[in-house]
């Protein structure tokens, strides 16, 4: 096993020794020429043992301890990796820290034969290499084809026969891909994908970039605040009188206490375009656009991380007085609806899914479809993007609940939706326009209207 400098670590020896690593700089204390020579060997690609042998640093009493302490510092900040040598062109495996160290290999005396594969460890392709990572680990393993085959054997509960397997097992154990104890029952409740997404959005050390890194902005341009669907059929919406609403709305306490999910609608008295307009204006209109840090910042009645407001509101109209059936996008900048698609099979699938999910036999009068423009968010935020989209969708849903309650309308959040139907109806891929939430909306049943009236 070799310990070498990680590729993202840069040692600068002149005019004074420093380490540049992931945007940070560390000053290094070099107490002898031998230590400086050993560092030079490391910077040129030598492993720790080779650098020590060629420099003689460990044979000098005054240099051995400071050299050991310096190596410990490099390891602690995540500047060192472990390499299992293979052939001349490619190592068998490399254990690479993502954000920090130290990377601790189990001692060779540790018996790992009873350790079992971590069911949540996954293999992906990164920079044309196979990478193995457990979602709660702060390091990952680059695999050669031979090492990947050995991991596959272990995952299938077969005993790998490669002579280097004991050393490779140490790497897997250090990376959390082999576990001494089975997962607890609560962890088993999570699917592998959900568990990984959760951990990567909450444990910064398990990912190479976290939060506002702007990594995505190096891949694609930052989209403008306003989406342009390219459609021409437009319905201008009436503007509600907010001063009047401020005087006549029930109190926040009244609305919050009365709020509940109302799934059924009054077919004889459908929701009107004016009511739909008022609800959209209350929760999703754009009050202003400012030039923010790297992207246009949007001001809406509801909050959003970075004021990016990536979630758009679509209206699947089925039975709305004053609005043709079809799929419409709410343009909060101009307070208008723009038609995206007419009635068709894809829209029927979209609405039909929500109908079944809410245990109804009749479709909702209106289905509010929330869809994120991921690039608005992912050009700034790394690893937490989907978590933010879900939070922003929840904020919008709660705002819809309160506004609908104040207006005397019926609304209900839907637990899931048909993403493929939405993509087909809009003609947009899920990478460009990702559905993230749905709510049914309509008029209340007569017996469901509060005696005092809610608006």
């Amino acid at each position: 096993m070799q310990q070498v400098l990680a590729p993202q670590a840069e040692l600068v020896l002149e005019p004074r020794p420093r380490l540049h690593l992931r945007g940070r700089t560390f000053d290094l204390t070099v107490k002898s020429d031998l230590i400086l020579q050993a560092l030079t060997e490391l910077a040129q690609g030598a492993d720790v043992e080779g650098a020590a042998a060629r420099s003689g640093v460990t044979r000098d009493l005054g240099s051995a301890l400071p050299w050991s302490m310096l190596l410990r510092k490099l390891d602690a900040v995540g500047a060192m990796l472990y390499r299992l040598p293979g052939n001349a062109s490619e190592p068998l495996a490399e254990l690479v820290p993502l954000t920090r160290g130290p990377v601790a290999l189990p001692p060779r005396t540790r018996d790992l034969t009873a350790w079992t594969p971590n069911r949540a460890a996954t293999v992906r392709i990164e920079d044309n290499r196979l990478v193995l990572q457990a979602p709660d680990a702060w390091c990952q393993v680059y695999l050669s084809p031979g090492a990947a085959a050995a991991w596959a054997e272990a995952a299938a509960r077969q005993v790998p026969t490669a002579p280097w397997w004991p050393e490779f097992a140490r790497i897997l154990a250090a990376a959390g891909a082999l576990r001494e104890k089975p997962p607890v029952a609560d962890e088993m409740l999570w699917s592998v994908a959900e568990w990984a997404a959760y951990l990567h959005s909450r444990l910064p050390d398990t990912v190479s970039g976290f939060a506002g890194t702007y990594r995505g902005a190096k891949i694609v341009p930052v989209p403008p605040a306003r989406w342009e669907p390219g459609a021409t059929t437009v319905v201008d919406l009436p503007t509600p009188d907010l001063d009047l609403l401020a005087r006549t709305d029930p109190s926040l306490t009244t609305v919050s206490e009365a709020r509940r999910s109302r799934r059924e609608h009054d077919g004889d008295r459908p929701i009107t375009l004016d009511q739909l307009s008022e609800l959209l204006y209350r929760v999703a209109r754009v009050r202003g656009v400012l030039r923010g840090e790297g992207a246009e910042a949007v001001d809406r009645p509801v909050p959003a991380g970075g004021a990016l407001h990536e979630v758009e509101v679509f209206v699947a109209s089925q039975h709305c007085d004053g609005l043709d059936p079809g799929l419409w996008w709410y343009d909060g900048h101009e307070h208008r609806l723009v038609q995206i698609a007419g009635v068709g099979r894809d829209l029927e699938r979209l609405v039909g899914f929500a109908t079944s999910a809410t245990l109804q036999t009749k479709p909702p009068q209106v289905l509010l479809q929330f869809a994120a423009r991921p690039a608005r968010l992912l050009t700034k935020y790394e690893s937490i993007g989907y978590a933010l989209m879900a939070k922003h969708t929840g904020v919008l849903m709660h705002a819809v609940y309160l506004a609908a309650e104040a207006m005397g309308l019926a609304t209900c959040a839907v637990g899931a939706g048909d993403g493929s139907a939405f993509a087909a109806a809009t003609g947009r891929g899920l990478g460009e326009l990702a559905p993230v939430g749905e709510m049914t909306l309509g008029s209340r049943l007569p017996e469901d209207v509060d005696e005092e009236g809610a608006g």
Side-chain angles (χ1 to χ4, degrees):
M1 190 79 70
Q2 298 174 341
Q3 192 177 23
V4 299
L5 198 67
Q8 62 268 37
E10 179 188 5
L11 283 175
V12 178
L13 304 179
E14 297 293 342
R16 66 183 190 281
R18 299 185 307 280
L19 169 70
H20 297 307
L21 180 66
R22 303 184 188 93
R24 300 176 64 190
T25 299
F26 302 88
D27 289 323
L28 303 178
T29 301
V30 175
K31 294 188 175 182
S32 72
D33 290 340
L34 292 178
I35 294 177
L36 183 62
Q37 183 181 344
L39 274 182
T40 303
E41 295 282 349
L42 271 186
Q44 293 174 351
D47 66 286
V48 169
E49 289 187 4
R54 282 191 282 273
S55 65
V57 67
T58 55
R59 296 191 294 272
D60 180 72
L61 292 179
S63 301
L65 182 58
W67 168 245
S68 177
M69 295 176 63
L70 182 58
L71 286 177
R72 187 173 299 180
K73 178 177 181 178
L74 293 176
D75 192 22
V77 298
M80 306 297 291
L81 64 82
Y82 281 97
R83 174 181 293 161
L84 183 60
N87 56 42
S89 62
E90 183 182 30
L92 283 166
E94 289 182 333
L95 179 63
V96 182
L98 286 164
T99 55
R100 63 175 176 88
V103 178
L105 290 173
R108 289 188 174 90
T109 55
R110 186 77 177 271
D111 183 9
L112 303 178
T113 55
W115 289 38
T116 57
N118 185 343
R119 75 177 189 99
T122 57
V123 177
R124 66 181 186 275
I125 299 174
E126 183 179 290
D127 296 330
N128 298 319
R129 300 178 71 184
L130 292 177
V131 179
L132 171 67
Q133 184 183 1
D136 57 349
W138 65 79
C139 50
Q140 60 189 17
V141 183
Y142 286 99
L143 302 172
S144 68
W151 166 248
E153 286 182 303
R157 301 302 176 93
Q158 300 175 8
V159 179
T161 57
W164 38 262
W165 167 254
E167 286 292 275
F168 183 42
R170 295 174 66 211
I171 286 181
L172 296 177
L178 288 180
R179 299 176 62 158
E180 184 176 15
K181 298 178 181 178
V184 298
D186 289 345
E187 182 181 324
M188 294 293 291
L189 294 173
W190 296 73
S191 72
V192 171
E194 289 174 315
W195 185 236
Y198 166 71
L199 292 175
H200 291 334
S201 68
R202 303 303 303 179
L203 302 178
D205 286 335
T206 65
V207 289
S208 57
F210 191 82
T213 65
Y214 291 95
R215 183 188 70 88
K218 301 174 184 177
I219 302 173
V220 299
V222 180
R226 183 172 181 172
W227 185 57
E228 294 294 344
T232 57
T233 302
V234 173
V235 174
D236 293 316
L237 299 175
T239 301
D241 186 344
L242 290 182
D243 291 334
L244 177 62
L245 293 176
R247 296 192 302 270
T248 59
D249 263 356
S251 70
L252 177 60
T253 301
T254 300
V255 169
S256 296
E257 291 300 308
R259 186 221 62 79
R260 67 179 185 271
S261 294
R262 307 174 194 271
R263 296 171 174 81
E264 297 182 74
H265 302 156
D266 184 356
D268 296 328
R269 187 179 54 89
I271 187 174
T272 67
L273 182 61
D274 283 356
Q275 289 174 314
L276 177 61
S277 169
E278 180 182 325
L279 183 134
L280 293 172
Y281 192 84
R282 283 175 181 257
V283 302
R285 78 182 187 280
V286 174
R287 297 188 295 202
V289 177
L290 300 172
R291 185 63 195 177
E293 183 185 3
E296 291 178 323
V298 178
D299 178 24
R300 276 181 173 175
V302 295
L308 294 174
H309 285 283
E310 78 287 352
V311 179
E312 303 286 346
V313 182
F314 291 80
V315 174
S317 172
Q318 296 291 295
H319 192 194
C320 177
D321 188 7
L323 182 64
D324 290 339
L327 183 63
W328 302 78
W329 165 61
Y330 175 58
D331 181 359
H333 297 263
E334 301 292 339
H335 188 52
R336 63 182 186 175
L337 291 173
V338 180
Q339 190 170 36
I340 302 299
V343 176
R345 183 173 177 271
D346 297 322
L347 187 60
E348 290 178 1
R349 285 173 52 208
L350 182 68
V351 176
F353 192 102
T355 303
S356 299
T358 52
L359 305 178
Q360 299 301 300
T361 57
K362 297 179 180 180
Q365 294 173 0
V366 166
L367 176 68
L368 297 180
Q369 175 70 65
F370 304 113
R373 298 162 60 202
R376 277 284 293 168
L377 202 67
L378 300 182
T379 46
K380 177 179 180 179
Y381 293 110
E382 189 174 357
S383 301
I384 62 172
Y386 184 63
L388 285 177
M389 293 178 206
K391 292 171 185 177
H392 298 161
T393 303
V395 167
L396 266 172
M397 285 182 166
H398 189 245
V400 169
Y401 264 119
L402 295 182
E405 196 66 43
M407 295 171 62
L409 297 173
T411 191
C412 177
V414 185
D418 190 336
S420 61
F422 178 78
T426 60
R428 313 278 177 158
L430 298 181
E432 177 186 356
L433 200 59
V436 287
E438 298 80 20
M439 297 186 77
T440 61
L441 179 68
S443 57
R444 289 189 192 176
L445 294 172
E447 60 269 26
D448 199 23
V449 177
D450 296 338
E451 293 182 2
E452 297 181 359

